[in-house]
Amino acid sequence: MDRTSAQALMVRLRGRLPSLSPVERAVAERVLADPAGAAALSISQLAAEAGVSDTSVTRFCRTVGLRGYPDLRLALAAAQVAAADEFAVRVGADGDIAAGDDTRTVVTKVARLTARAAEDTAAQLDLDALDTVVDALVSARRIEVYAAGAGAVVAADLEYKLQHLGLVCAAHSDVHRALMGAAHLTAADVALGISYSGRTPEVLDPVAEAARRGATTVALTSDPGSPLAAAVARVLTFAGRESELRTGATVSRTAQLTVVDCLYVRLAQRLDTRAADALDRTHQAVTRGRTPRRHRG
């Protein structure tokens, strides 16, 4: 397994933690806590340290898309080489952001984590799924985006970018408005739900309503095994980690915006002259709107 594939596997594994069974989660947490150390263990040693059976370790490997334990060891070793300086932002963890860190240290660590979130997201992003979603957006009569909490910022950014390209798009962070919008969608439309966990009711409900109306449904989530991912036709995942200091919310937003930017650029490429015309009209309209006007005395 090459370094990029191994890195992508580790990112997906973090995202899938909430959806794993308790036994599989125990193996995943042991692996993620010390990838290099886990790579040096036999299957029986890893099972013992995770408090599970050898069979459970094998089942875990297959759950995450590997043929068996040898593949996992190779992936862990490759990921460790690719990300030797990897760190997570959690209070109290060695090398992570701590409550007593000074300003320079906090800024440095946040900058590193933000950059890493974008890199990890790019490494694990399903390119075929990305292009399939672009195809759906290009031909959509109407696009609706549903989010809540911090995801609302990402939804608003996607709405802005799609409108900039001349596409009809509305973003909703209020569940009642989202449900009203979803109730009027058809098979010609696209509904996209944004949720870090993939378990946010305010996103799940309007996405389900949109699906009932025949709209093409898309999820943007960190967990490909979440209820949101299971409820939609297409899934786009991103890398992100929550923390006790809620720095994860910032990192998740960066990762989500990375996917949004990829969608935007691919859409602009697909729309070609149509996008250029739309951008030009938008620029002219905004420029005219900023022109100072003389007040009559």
Side-chain angles (χ1 to χ4, degrees), residues 18-77:
S19 297
L20 296 175
S21 69
V23 170
E24 292 172 336
R25 191 179 304 121
V27 179
E29 289 175 345
R30 171 61 186 87
V31 166
L32 290 172
D34 182 13
L41 300 176
S42 68
I43 186 171
S44 296
Q45 290 172 325
L46 178 61
E49 292 197 7
V52 302
S53 66
D54 291 11
T55 302
S56 296
V57 175
T58 300
R59 187 181 303 116
F60 162 78
C61 293
R62 291 172 180 166
T63 296
V64 298
L66 301 173
R67 291 172 296 181
Y69 188 61
D71 282 358
L72 177 62
R73 293 185 71 177
L74 288 173
L76 293 176

Side-chain angles (χ1 to χ4, degrees), residues 4-286:
T4 300
S5 298
Q7 182 182 357
L9 173 65
M10 299 301 288
V11 172
R12 290 197 304 272
L13 181 53
R14 295 187 197 101
R16 290 200 62 175
L17 275 176
S19 297
L20 296 175
S21 69
V23 170
E24 292 172 336
R25 191 179 304 121
V27 179
E29 289 175 345
R30 171 61 186 87
V31 166
L32 290 172
D34 182 13
L41 300 176
S42 68
I43 186 171
S44 296
Q45 290 172 325
L46 178 61
E49 292 197 7
V52 302
S53 66
D54 291 11
T55 302
S56 296
V57 175
T58 300
R59 187 181 303 116
F60 162 78
C61 293
R62 291 172 180 166
T63 296
V64 298
L66 301 173
R67 291 172 296 181
Y69 188 61
D71 282 358
L72 177 62
R73 293 185 71 177
L74 288 173
L76 293 176
Q80 194 64 18
V81 172
D85 63 342
E86 181 177 6
F87 68 94
V89 179
R90 294 190 304 273
V91 176
D94 293 339
D96 299 336
I97 289 181
D101 281 348
D102 61 22
T103 302
R104 182 181 297 277
T105 301
V106 169
V107 170
T108 300
K109 289 182 177 180
V110 168
R112 286 185 62 195
L113 186 60
T114 298
R116 187 56 184 271
E119 292 170 358
D120 283 351
T121 294
Q124 59 80 61
L125 189 59
D126 186 331
L127 303 185
D128 290 336
L130 181 72
D131 280 340
T132 299
V133 172
V134 168
D135 290 340
L137 294 176
V138 165
S139 59
R141 178 187 68 98
R142 179 177 177 80
I143 302 160
E144 295 230 333
V145 186
Y146 311 127
V153 176
V154 180
D157 185 69
L158 179 57
E159 176 191 45
Y160 174 82
K161 285 182 166 66
L162 296 186
Q163 289 181 350
H164 211 53
L165 291 174
L167 300 177
V168 178
C169 178
H172 302 292
S173 57
D174 177 89
V175 66
H176 295 102
R177 295 189 65 183
L179 286 167
M180 286 191 291
H184 296 287
L185 296 183
T186 70
D189 304 318
V190 174
L192 190 151
I194 300 174
S195 172
Y196 172 87
S197 67
R199 291 167 172 77
T200 309
E202 292 86 352
V203 176
L204 285 168
D205 291 346
V207 165
E209 178 63 24
R212 279 192 289 271
R213 300 296 173 178
T216 299
T217 51
V218 181
L220 178 54
T221 180
S222 70
D223 185 0
S226 66
L228 178 61
V232 300
R234 295 288 181 268
V235 180
L236 298 175
T237 56
F238 59 87
R241 311 178 203 178
E242 298 291 358
S243 76
E244 295 180 36
L245 281 182
R246 298 300 294 170
T247 4
T250 301
V251 174
S252 297
R253 186 182 66 219
T254 299
Q256 292 165 6
L257 289 172
T258 298
V259 179
V260 167
D261 285 347
C262 290
L263 282 172
Y264 174 73
V265 173
R266 288 295 288 150
L267 277 167
Q269 290 177 322
R270 283 288 308 279
L271 292 169
D272 195 15
T273 56
R274 177 181 164 190
D277 290 343
L279 292 171
D280 184 60
R281 287 196 300 273
T282 302
H283 174 72
Q284 291 183 28
V286 172

